[in-house]
Amino acid sequence: MKKILFFLLVSSISFAQNFTRKDSLHGGLRFERTCFDVLHYDLNITINPDEKSIVGYNEITFKVVNPTARIQIDLFDNMLIDSIIHNSKRIEYQREFNAVFLQFASELSQNSTEKIRFYYSGKPKIAKRAPWDGGFVFKKDRQGKPFIGVAVQGTGASLWYPVKDTQTDEPDNGATIKVAVPNGLMNVSNGRLTGSEDLKNGYTRWDWEVKNPINTYNITVNIADYVHIHENHKGLDLDYYVLRENGDIAQKHFEEVKPMMDCFQSKFGTYPFVEDGYKLVETSYLGMEHQSAVAYGNKFQQGYLGNDLSGTGIGLLFDYITIHESGHEWFGNSITSTDIADMWIHEGFTQYTEIVFVECQFGYEKAMKYANGLRNNVQNDRPIIGQCCVNNEGSGDMYPKGALLLNTLRHVINDDEKWWKMILKYSETFRHKIIDTPTVIAFFNSESGMNLTPIFNQYLKYTEIPKLEVRKKGSKVSYRWVTSEPNFEMPVEFIVKGEEIRLTPTQQWQKLPQKIKKWEDIIIKNNEVFIEVAKVQ
């Protein structure tokens, strides 16, 4: 598995939600999960588009961490278990919701390497609105040919194949994905294509290999009548698989990938999966960050299906899905959260990559304009951090509010050279690792030499953003922070009578040394930090 860096995080926030045994079986880390470490997945399946069905097996190679005769593998309970084989013999199992508990005939020895072959079949859940709900998408292209994909983030990879369905364990030695589809169609999965074989039964099997560890929800299939476009940019393979009718438009539209890669590699380090290459694969749903096979369904438009999520016009200068989902290669795929409760580590950092790309391409002012536009998407409905160990995500604010937190930190640190070194070091320090929120906070505290914990906590654990209250009595002006997080301090820029000064308000009233005759003589610079400013009497 990836090296997991985390502390036990027990949130002080009360969630008005009841969780079940099914939730804890999916999200929890009990002995039956922690006693073994997955080394490799070998997925070999046939997908029948007419029946919307899957049949095949996943061979799972794992190392025994602690002696055990019982482990947990996950598979949604609407999928059938045909048999589970270990050392050429069937092994017993019990199902509880989507968890499958395998009972070996004798205890497996510590440090031994074992293999099981898990045969299964069935009709996987179909998504109603992918990628926002998990499942398969069975559609047709304009020629009437099958156009099939899958997206299962949050829902879980066990929706369609047997797997240790937790973000805490990625196969150390990658995976092979072999998918047989009807002749005339192609399957595109993660990693590199190693070959194809006509099975002489109306199906062709397409074989893909992933060298790097991979998050299980990232393992994917994409089935269509694809054409392949290949380029190499400064030593990095760029591959595009699009519907046959879109070959010409894709070649031109995806030119944006090259400056994106230049920008991201300069800010976040070398592309994390060079051995597996980089692919954009056209899908019938909007998009998903499938590692080394990024799902693309933005219909070759700028913005987000032709719209600007920032409302500023800046969002129409680039293809949102290309930039956002590719940013996940660094944040989400390379750096992964231990639990989906901390999914802001994926989504907040990745939405921040959009701001970074705008700055690389169009300059700082447009980047800040884009960032400020994202404020309108923040709902402040629930905390960004969800509840651990029960497969619970936090608020969708993890996207814009998470990005604005990072932009705020940049300006709190107030040293761009230092900031970009920190971001690069963060990406490289935790490259191919699994981490949690306390690990992120500890890193930025250490590298900045500042106590940023209260700032992180306020944005991540509470709904409201920091409110700076400014009070004027006569010619005297006082200011303070109003926050839920105790001991909150954060510097902010004031412009007093045309002079810019940097002050550090606390939760206690402090007085401005200058005398102010009228409110117009004092301006709070809040276009670079995500705060609320309130004038009070």
Side-chain angles (χ1 to χ4, degrees):
M1 68 178 73
K2 280 183 179 178
K3 185 178 180 182
I4 304 174
L5 304 176
F6 69 100
F7 304 95
L8 181 62
L9 175 62
V10 181
S11 176
S12 61
I13 302 301
S14 174
F15 292 85
Q17 183 172 348
N18 294 320
F19 296 102
T20 66
R21 168 73 172 168
K22 183 178 181 180
D23 297 324
S24 61
L25 282 171
H26 190 167
L29 290 177
R30 65 199 54 80
F31 178 78
E32 289 90 346
R33 277 181 157 176
T34 61
C35 65
F36 71 104
D37 170 21
V38 176
L39 301 178
H40 191 264
Y41 289 119
D42 184 359
L43 188 61
N44 192 323
I45 61 175
T46 297
I47 296 180
N48 185 319
D50 294 330
E51 296 180 355
K52 299 183 172 70
S53 66
I54 299 175
V55 61
Y57 66 81
N58 189 17
E59 186 169 271
I60 304 171
T61 305
F62 63 93
K63 180 180 179 180
V64 180
V65 177
N66 296 110
T68 188
R70 179 178 162 92
I71 66 171
Q72 176 183 337
I73 299 295
D74 305 286
L75 182 67
F76 270 39
D77 59 9
N78 65 300
M79 302 295 285
L80 301 176
I81 301 172
D82 298 325
S83 64
I84 307 173
I85 307 298
H86 176 249
N87 290 338
S88 302
K89 296 181 180 179
R90 289 176 178 256
I91 59 176
E92 299 295 322
Y93 62 87
Q94 297 83 38
R95 300 195 80 159
E96 186 176 0
F97 299 107
N98 298 331
V100 183
F101 292 95
L102 282 59
Q103 188 67 48
F104 294 91
S106 60
E107 186 174 82
L108 305 178
S109 302
Q110 186 173 12
N111 295 325
S112 65
T113 298
E114 308 288 342
K115 283 187 180 181
I116 58 168
R117 183 171 284 194
F118 195 129
Y119 290 90
Y120 74 109
S121 59
K123 296 182 178 181
K125 177 182 174 182
I126 295 176
K128 295 178 181 178
R129 190 170 172 258
W132 295 277
D133 66 324
F136 262 77
V137 179
F138 289 93
K139 291 189 176 181
K140 302 276 189 177
D141 66 15
R142 282 178 283 185
Q143 311 308 316
K145 296 181 179 180
F147 189 18
I148 300 168
V150 64
V152 293
Q153 183 182 22
T155 307
S158 54
L159 178 146
W160 67 281
Y161 70 98
V163 62
K164 183 177 177 180
D165 201 355
T166 166
Q167 290 183 181
T168 60
D169 193 0
E170 301 181 0
D172 296 45
N173 303 324
T176 51
I177 305 118
K178 301 172 183 177
V179 182
V181 298
N183 292 342
L185 300 176
M186 181 180 190
N187 172 66
V188 180
S189 290
N190 316 80
R192 305 271 187 178
L193 180 65
T194 59
S196 62
E197 180 181 353
D198 186 340
L199 302 180
K200 309 301 182 184
N201 61 356
Y203 281 75
T204 298
R205 195 188 70 217
W206 300 86
D207 298 348
W208 297 83
E209 182 177 17
V210 180
K211 296 287 189 181
N212 287 282
I214 183 169
N215 198 317
T216 56
Y217 80 77
N218 273 324
I219 292 176
T220 192
V221 296
N222 300 281
I223 302 166
D225 179 17
Y226 284 122
V227 293
H228 175 210
I229 301 166
H230 173 77
E231 296 183 288
N232 186 283
H233 179 62
K234 300 179 181 178
L236 177 64
D237 285 323
L238 307 176
D239 291 280
Y240 312 123
Y241 290 86
V242 299
L243 294 180
R244 188 167 299 280
E245 66 240 33
N246 293 329
D248 291 340
I249 188 173
Q251 180 101 41
K252 181 179 179 181
H253 188 79
F254 290 153
E255 278 296 309
E256 185 176 53
V257 169
K258 296 172 186 175
M260 176 198 73
M261 280 295 178
D262 291 342
C263 174
F264 286 176
Q265 291 193 109
S266 70
K267 298 296 187 183
F268 314 133
T270 303
Y271 176 68
F273 309 108
V274 172
E275 301 87 348
D276 296 321
Y278 169 86
K279 294 194 293 297
L280 283 176
V281 187
E282 187 176 359
T283 54
S284 58
Y285 59 91
L286 185 60
M288 181 59 65
E289 64 266 23
H290 296 142
Q291 181 176 311
S292 70
V294 175
Y296 175 85
N298 204 37
K299 304 183 186 302
F300 309 100
Q301 300 178 82
Q302 298 296 80
Y304 182 97
L305 290 174
N307 299 301
D308 177 11
L309 292 183
S310 76
T312 64
I314 306 299
L316 294 175
L317 297 177
F318 62 94
D319 185 317
Y320 178 92
I321 293 300
T322 298
I323 303 306
H324 180 90
E325 302 303 348
S326 299
H328 271 304
E329 293 284 58
W330 284 264
F331 304 109
N333 300 347
S334 177
I335 301 175
T336 304
S337 66
T338 60
D339 191 280
I340 66 170
D342 277 342
M343 206 159 72
W344 80 275
I345 294 173
H346 299 201
E347 302 300 350
F349 275 88
T350 297
Q351 184 130 63
Y352 185 65
T353 69
E354 301 162 26
I355 300 171
V356 174
F357 177 75
V358 171
E359 186 166 347
C360 283
Q361 287 295 99
F362 309 110
Y364 176 82
E365 295 301 324
K366 280 189 169 60
M368 291 306 102
K369 184 177 179 181
Y370 181 78
N372 275 298
L374 296 177
R375 296 177 184 223
N376 296 324
N377 299 328
V378 178
Q379 301 297 310
N380 290 322
D381 55 349
R382 292 183 294 125
I384 287 176
I385 295 179
Q387 187 157 323
C388 181
C389 309
V390 287
N391 204 47
N392 176 247
E393 298 175 9
S395 168
D397 281 352
M398 69 178 78
Y399 290 78
K401 197 172 180 180
L404 290 164
L405 163 60
L406 293 169
N407 193 54
T408 296
L409 290 174
R410 173 184 180 180
H411 293 94
V412 166
I413 290 168
N414 200 33
D415 182 336
D416 270 0
E417 183 178 359
K418 185 175 185 177
W419 173 251
W420 294 120
K421 285 181 179 178
M422 287 172 57
I423 289 294
L424 178 60
K425 187 173 181 179
Y426 172 79
S427 300
E428 293 179 337
T429 298
F430 301 115
R431 181 184 176 92
H432 295 180
K433 290 185 173 63
I434 301 172
I435 63 175
D436 65 0
T437 295
T439 305
V440 177
I441 296 173
F443 173 86
F444 280 91
N445 282 346
S446 174
E447 293 301 315
S448 68
M450 302 168 69
N451 178 21
L452 301 172
T453 302
I455 300 176
F456 275 102
N457 286 347
Q458 181 62 43
Y459 286 94
L460 298 176
K461 291 187 175 184
Y462 305 95
T463 56
E464 62 274 7
I465 63 173
K467 179 190 290 186
L468 182 66
E469 289 189 341
V470 183
R471 181 176 66 191
K472 183 176 181 295
K473 289 186 177 181
S475 62
K476 295 181 179 179
V477 173
S478 302
Y479 54 91
R480 71 172 181 181
W481 287 117
V482 177
T483 61
S484 298
E485 176 68 15
N487 304 313
F488 184 87
E489 295 183 8
M490 190 170 81
V492 67
E493 304 289 340
F494 286 65
I495 300 176
V496 182
K497 296 179 179 179
E499 179 185 357
E500 187 170 311
I501 58 174
R502 184 176 173 87
L503 300 172
T504 303
T506 67
Q507 290 169 320
Q508 307 303 315
W509 286 109
Q510 298 179 63
K511 291 182 179 179
L512 199 67
Q514 297 92 332
K515 290 184 179 181
I516 303 298
K517 290 183 179 181
K518 51 186 179 179
W519 276 114
E520 290 77 9
D521 288 336
I522 182 169
I523 299 172
I524 315 299
K525 288 187 66 177
N526 64 339
N527 62 326
E528 295 173 332
V529 291
F530 186 38
I531 63 173
E532 179 184 351
V533 177
K535 294 178 180 179
V536 298
Q537 298 300 323

